[in-house]
Amino acid sequence: MPIINFGGLLNFAEAMEKQDMEFYLSIASNPEMSDLSDLFQGFAKDGKKNIAHIQRTRRENITEMILEGITGFFRKPFVLEVKDDKEMGRAQILKYVDKMEARAIAYYTEGAEKIKALPEVSMALKVAGKKRMAHTQKLSGS
Amino acid sequence: MALPIMKNYINGEWVESNGSQIGNIKNPATAEQIAQVVFGTADDVEKAVQAAQKAFVQWRETPPLTRARYLFRIKDALEENFEDIARTLTMEQGKIIDEARAEIRRMIENVEHATGVTTLMCGYTLEDIAKGIDCTGHRQPMGVFAGVAPYNFPGMVPWWFLPYAIVTGNTYVLKPSEQVPMTQTRIFECLDEVGLPDGVVNMVHGSKDVVNAILDHRDIQGVSFVGSTPTARYIYKRCGETGKRVQALGGAKNIVGIMPDAKLNEALPSLVTSFFGCSGQRCLAGSILAPVGDAADLVVDRFVATAKNIKVGDGLSDFTGMGPMASSAHLDRVLGYIEKGIKEGATLVLDGRDCKVEGYPEGYFVGPTIFDNVTPEMTIAKEEIFGPVVCVVRCKTLDEVIKLINTRDFANAACLYTDSGTAARKFKYKVLPSMVGINIGIAAPMSFFPFGGAGNSMFGDIKGHGQEIFHFFTDTKVVIERWF
């Protein structure tokens, strides 16, 4: 399904952040990952902040003058199956975390480009993406 | 499960009307009944006005900055409930969720603008108008004001007026559209939480009886109205008879001209939004597309191709580009105009009549519809359709476009797409409508500029919001002073 408008773009970002936040909260309390619990708690907190940021962006930057459609932007490459960490081993979890971060960065990068006619929204997506980039750095350093 | 029943809000309480007529509120995407409203009576209006009169005594003495602080609290409450209000609006009115969000944003912007009361309500002074005599003009609130709102913008339109009325020290009685009363009810729930003094804002649901009671009430100082031209004219006349201030905004027949030098790639998305946004149910929607000269074929072809791709459906879905008509009666009206266009000989190049939406067999849907070769005399080129029906009137010159605009019965908005400053200047200088867009398809003034048309699109002299609205809600008392 294509993402065709402002609301669709931000709604997908919100849903993605929620999905990722829930996974991070779950693995933060997973005994298998106890050494990384603080890191994942932090990621979940970032997710909460990104959700608030996206919701505020959606509320504050919409007017009927900018309801022009978005073209050539599709959900499919960014859809990630919801996983239960209880059924995964440590290596699988870490691999999935990498996937989550990679898709979020890709989504925010492409989304920011697609909505660049609205600089504030484009910037908001870039800011959210930056947080996710910082995650990948932290993961590689952990 | 019992359906929610919309109640009146009078003197800080949710109260049931003593009326006997009940209206059924339906979701236009599904035709499912989602709420009921009891139509109020003159007695309900009387109670609301009495409460507002009583509240006025102390409210007018409340410092403007304190009144503005209530608005800050209202803004916070509206932001907090933003998504919920937007979803309620889409459910009862049908417009897509982004359009509902945009509407609530515009509504909140009026609250924000009204908080500038300490600057915008100031009077003026001149010393020594004669030797030793000074003159001061004070802006004073007047008492109880009332608003009568339309069905197409149930969230925003009442707030073109209400925040300005109360921040200047007046009190208010609002009648939302009986067709879409849920949005304002949800908004008034937010107001209730804010804790405005009882009686400062009141809401009475209902239909013509409530409107007439407002128009006839001796203690109402002024009325703001947005709706159709015949009703606007009626309200203007009745308010004149009963000595009220009035601002009555009526219908439209907006024309969008496209010059051969227009940047079509850039223009197309906003053009399509202009004609099909809110399913054409807005007073700023484009209604007539007037391409100029040789470019007309290309403009029409590309416009039709883009319009064909608009996905019609339930406004709550992220995948919908255009929602249904707000009611089944309005759907019939729009379909009637399409039939009329065919009978009068216009060429139907995109037919939205048989619009089927999977999973929504009962919805009030009509798809994007485009008539080509429309002539200025045809009914569809003269009357307000208020739906996603585009009339293409091909013009040879810019002068012809301007003539077309200035010979309609309405003068609300007009837009021109061009790359020429000369053409743009001529256009904005000569057209009669008072909301003009240049390379903008919806010339919607924001809260800090006045909203309203000319001619039969607006009765009264002070428009909605902007700086002038502070004049509508205040009387300038002139004090001439000398001290011996």
Side-chain angles (χ1 to χ4, degrees):
Chain A
M1 283 287 220
I3 291 167
I4 58 164
N5 52 36
F6 171 92
L9 196 153
L10 293 172
N11 288 353
F12 187 89
E14 187 185 357
M16 177 178 74
E17 289 289 352
K18 268 185 188 153
Q19 183 188 344
D20 294 358
M21 184 180 73
E22 280 161 16
F23 191 77
Y24 281 130
L25 282 173
S26 183
I27 59 176
S29 59
N30 185 330
E32 188 93 26
M33 311 301 292
S34 57
D35 57 320
L36 295 174
S37 177
D38 288 349
L39 183 72
F40 294 142
Q41 290 274 11
F43 286 5
K45 264 189 196 166
D46 285 346
K48 197 176 172 189
K49 280 184 198 163
N50 268 356
I51 290 168
H53 181 62
I54 289 160
Q55 287 173 340
R56 194 175 55 245
T57 302
R58 187 173 58 204
R59 276 202 317 273
E60 292 183 354
N61 291 285
I62 186 153
T63 75
E64 67 265 33
M65 279 190 283
I66 52 99
L67 288 178
E68 296 151 19
I70 292 167
T71 52
F73 193 29
F74 297 89
R75 287 170 188 241
K76 205 176 170 189
F78 306 105
V79 173
L80 202 54
E81 192 190 341
V82 178
K83 297 261 188 184
D84 180 357
D85 64 290
K86 306 293 180 293
E87 293 169 0
M88 300 161 82
R90 182 183 173 91
Q92 279 176 304
I93 288 174
L94 287 173
K95 202 174 164 192
Y96 186 70
V97 163
D98 283 343
K99 259 191 180 175
M100 276 166 33
E101 294 305 329
R103 74 116 174 210
I105 292 164
Y107 184 79
Y108 285 129
T109 306
E110 194 170 338
E113 182 61 25
K114 288 289 177 193
I115 198 109
K116 68 181 178 191
L118 293 176
E120 291 84 2
V121 182
S122 183
M123 185 55 72
L125 295 179
K126 283 178 187 162
V127 167
K130 260 189 188 169
K131 273 209 179 78
R132 305 303 294 259
M133 280 180 207
H135 287 188
T136 58
Q137 281 166 4
K138 284 179 186 167
L139 282 166
S140 62
S142 64
Chain B
M1 204 174 78
L3 289 169
I5 297 173
M6 302 299 111
K7 290 183 179 173
N8 293 335
Y9 186 79
I10 297 174
N11 204 26
E13 302 277 345
W14 292 101
V15 291
E16 283 174 14
S17 167
N18 60 5
S20 56
Q21 199 187 342
I22 292 174
N24 294 322
I25 315 306
K26 291 183 176 178
N27 179 338
T30 60
E32 179 195 357
Q33 194 176 330
I34 51 175
Q36 288 189 314
V37 60
V38 180
F39 289 3
T41 62
D43 189 40
D44 294 317
V45 173
E46 181 59 37
K47 285 176 188 155
V49 175
Q50 276 181 22
Q53 277 275 72
K54 199 173 155 209
F56 176 67
V57 178
Q58 285 203 343
W59 184 244
R60 68 154 296 180
E61 293 175 1
T62 304
L65 194 56
T66 306
R67 295 196 296 255
R69 285 190 189 119
Y70 278 102
L71 291 193
F72 284 116
R73 283 157 63 183
I74 291 171
K75 172 186 153 57
D76 285 347
L78 295 174
E79 297 280 8
E80 205 172 303
N81 294 283
F82 190 98
E83 271 303 291
D84 191 39
I85 298 168
R87 293 183 82 80
T88 303
L89 201 162
T90 290
M91 270 174 57
E92 72 169 347
Q93 203 276 343
K95 66 178 63 177
I96 64 172
I97 186 70
D98 266 0
E99 290 166 344
R101 288 184 183 121
E103 179 175 343
I104 303 306
R105 185 78 261 140
R106 283 289 167 102
M107 176 188 135
I108 295 173
E109 283 164 5
N110 279 282
V111 179
E112 291 168 331
H113 178 48
T115 60
V117 60
T118 48
T119 306
L120 294 163
M121 196 183 165
C122 283
Y124 51 102
T125 302
L126 187 66
E127 290 181 332
D128 292 318
I129 56 165
K131 183 151 179 63
I133 298 177
D134 302 332
C135 189
T136 308
H138 300 267
R139 293 251 181 86
Q140 293 196 325
M142 297 167 66
V144 182
F145 278 79
V148 177
Y151 73 83
N152 61 333
F153 281 89
M156 175 184 74
V157 165
W159 290 71
W160 286 353
F161 315 109
L162 187 153
Y164 305 101
I166 65 171
V167 85
T168 48
N170 302 286
T171 53
Y172 210 72
V173 177
L174 172 67
K175 189 206 87 67
S177 163
E178 66 275 24
Q179 211 177 305
V180 284
M182 294 170 73
T183 306
Q184 277 308 318
T185 301
R186 185 69 194 87
I187 289 165
F188 267 63
E189 284 169 3
C190 297
L191 292 189
D192 190 47
E193 284 169 25
V194 163
L196 276 166
D198 294 346
V200 170
V201 292
N202 305 274
M203 177 170 63
V204 179
H205 293 292
S207 186
K208 200 172 178 184
D209 289 346
V210 172
V211 175
N212 283 333
I214 286 171
L215 299 179
D216 289 343
H217 204 292
R218 65 197 177 284
D219 292 326
I220 290 179
Q221 302 298 320
V223 174
S224 305
F225 168 82
V226 178
S228 70
T229 287
T231 313
R233 189 182 277 118
Y234 170 78
I235 284 181
Y236 184 65
K237 191 167 169 242
R238 287 283 290 264
C239 284
E241 283 166 4
T242 54
K244 291 175 175 50
R245 290 188 173 190
V246 59
Q247 42 185 187
L249 282 67
K253 191 74 188 171
N254 305 319
I255 295 174
V256 180
I258 318 277
M259 296 299 286
D261 62 3
K263 289 182 172 158
L264 200 52
N265 285 340
E266 287 82 353
L268 263 175
S270 72
L271 263 180
V272 169
T273 311
S274 169
F275 286 89
F276 301 115
C278 296
S279 313
Q281 297 169 108
R282 57 179 165 188
C283 68
L284 288 178
S287 180
I288 294 178
L289 180 69
V292 175
D294 298 341
D297 284 342
L298 179 69
V299 169
V300 173
D301 286 352
R302 293 200 54 193
F303 185 73
V304 172
T306 312
K308 267 182 187 165
N309 289 327
I310 295 173
K311 192 165 181 299
V312 180
D314 182 356
L316 286 176
S317 161
D318 273 349
F319 306 109
T320 297
M322 191 173 93
M325 297 291 94
S327 67
S328 99
H330 190 56
L331 173 67
D332 291 344
R333 185 171 183 265
V334 171
L335 293 175
Y337 273 112
I338 298 175
E339 297 299 333
K340 208 169 270 183
I342 295 167
K343 272 190 196 140
E344 289 184 343
T347 314
L348 187 60
V349 289
L350 186 61
D351 186 353
R353 285 176 296 174
D354 192 26
C355 181
K356 299 271 184 283
V357 177
E358 203 185 321
Y360 298 85
E362 305 296 327
Y364 312 139
F365 297 105
V366 56
T369 299
I370 302 173
F371 281 108
D372 198 356
N373 302 312
V374 176
T375 61
E377 300 74 32
M378 289 181 183
T379 309
I380 55 169
K382 290 196 289 194
E383 295 182 8
E384 184 175 40
I385 300 173
F386 221 56
V389 180
V390 182
C391 304
V392 178
V393 178
R394 293 172 180 240
C395 295
K396 290 190 183 71
T397 61
L398 176 61
D399 285 329
E400 211 176 297
V401 176
I402 293 169
K403 188 180 169 199
L404 181 69
I405 292 167
N406 291 347
T407 52
R408 299 306 92 190
D409 258 354
F410 304 95
N412 206 46
C415 300
L416 185 73
Y417 283 83
T418 182
D419 210 23
S420 156
T422 309
R425 187 183 185 277
K426 185 177 189 179
F427 184 82
K428 60 192 182 187
Y429 188 82
K430 289 202 162 181
V431 294
L432 295 177
S434 39
M435 291 181 279
V436 173
I438 302 294
N439 296 318
I440 294 280
I442 293 285
M446 291 184 75
S447 59
F448 24 93
F449 284 91
F451 191 113
N456 287 331
S457 295
M458 161 93 202
F459 301 88
D461 47 9
I462 295 182
K463 298 176 177 179
H465 54 67
Q467 294 182 16
E468 294 88 334
I469 196 92
F470 286 85
H471 290 266
F472 184 76
F473 289 116
T474 54
D475 179 50
T476 304
K477 181 183 278 180
V478 176
V479 178
I480 305 166
E481 226 171 340
R482 176 168 63 179
W483 292 88
F484 299 108

